[in-house]
Amino acid sequence: MFVVGLTGGIGSGKTAATDYLARRGIAVVDADLASRRVVEPGQPALDAIVDRFGEPVLQTDGTLNRRALRDIVFSDEAARRDLEAITHPAIGEELRRQILASSTPYTVLVSPLLLEGSQKDMVHRILVIDVPPDVQVARTVARDQVPDTQVAAIMKAQMQRDQRRALAHDVVENHGPLALLHERLEALHQTYLKLAERHGG
Ligand code: ATP
């Protein structure tokens, strides 16, 4: 099982990249989706969150009140650590489960936090999608209709561009047109197919 970890800053084009690889028949495991799945009603992580933080973190329909939880952990470091101690192992388990269930020649794990924690230990190769900061801001503002100051604040909290690039085996520049992104990804796709074969599938 050969796993390519794909990451990049906000608005760099991670989804645009995984959309392309998915069209090429590659299974994409999404850490953002997994992090939402593990706190759905009935999941043990949600029960543990309610045990720790109380009923106010639930909405009336029993789903997680993300805003309430965010407000609690925003100003309380110990609370944030407790929350992560609940969610991170659950997310890791969910990602491993999905990776093991994949039967495509290689599997992509896409995660905005691939390099910050232990998720990078799940992958054999690190691919960073990279654009200059002004492009990150412009594309995110256009996509989400949010103020550029909000995007800048998120970028500041994320790993810095140089550090991310330094940890990558492969970097794909995405400040040009989508067709060029696809061309670059196609070349890497061919490389990954070969590496996966050598790795034993
Ligand atoms: P986030 O971390 O916020 O989830 P992301 O890394 O997944 O973002 P995308 O959503 O793929 O980034 O891209 C950000 C925006 O830029 C989207 O609206 C996308 O359609 C657009 N985009 C991505 N690549 C290009 C490109 N090469 N040319 C033009 N627009 C692009």
Side-chain angles (χ1 to χ4, degrees):
M1 176 65 69
F2 189 74
V3 185
V4 174
L6 188 154
T7 192
I10 181 171
S12 57
K14 295 181 291 297
T15 303
T18 52
D19 281 352
Y20 179 80
L21 294 172
R23 284 203 297 278
R24 299 294 281 118
I26 297 304
V28 175
V29 173
D30 185 323
D32 269 344
L33 291 181
S35 69
R36 269 175 251 151
R37 178 175 294 188
V38 300
V39 294
E40 279 173 4
Q43 296 292 324
L46 182 59
D47 296 339
I49 289 170
V50 176
D51 283 347
R52 167 64 177 80
F53 298 100
E55 297 286 335
V57 297
L58 285 183
Q59 316 206 71
T60 44
D61 64 358
T63 59
L64 183 65
N65 185 337
R66 288 167 192 285
R67 179 176 290 263
L69 187 59
R70 226 185 359 251
D71 288 347
I72 293 172
V73 301
F74 180 72
S75 54
D76 184 343
E77 177 74 9
R80 191 180 57 77
R81 271 200 305 271
D82 286 351
L83 176 63
E84 288 176 355
I86 295 167
T87 54
H88 286 187
I91 295 165
E93 221 173 278
E94 174 66 17
L95 295 177
R96 262 185 290 277
R97 188 186 67 73
Q98 290 187 28
I99 288 168
L100 281 172
S102 161
S103 55
T104 58
Y106 67 91
T107 303
V108 170
L109 168 59
V110 59
S111 174
L113 297 173
L114 182 77
L115 305 174
E116 279 83 346
S118 60
Q119 286 175 6
K120 58 180 170 307
D121 302 334
M122 280 186 233
V123 308
H124 301 96
R125 187 101 180 167
I126 293 165
L127 165 58
V128 165
I129 310 297
D130 187 63
V131 293
D134 57 320
V135 177
Q136 270 182 285
V137 173
R139 285 184 182 163
T140 307
V141 165
R143 184 193 58 188
D144 298 342
Q145 311 290 311
V146 289
D148 54 3
T149 46
Q150 189 176 320
V151 184
I154 291 170
M155 285 167 59
K156 217 172 150 202
Q158 292 184 333
M159 181 178 280
Q160 291 308 291
R161 190 180 178 197
D162 290 352
Q163 205 183 346
R164 196 185 286 118
R165 287 180 65 113
L167 292 169
H169 298 97
D170 307 299
V171 176
V172 165
E173 316 277 356
N174 181 32
H175 48 271
L178 271 179
L180 192 55
L181 172 71
H182 294 166
E183 204 175 290
R184 290 170 172 160
L185 285 171
E186 181 58 31
L188 277 176
H189 173 60
Q190 297 304 326
T191 303
Y192 295 155
L193 288 174
K194 287 193 195 106
L195 287 173
E197 205 173 290
R198 217 178 296 159
H199 187 261

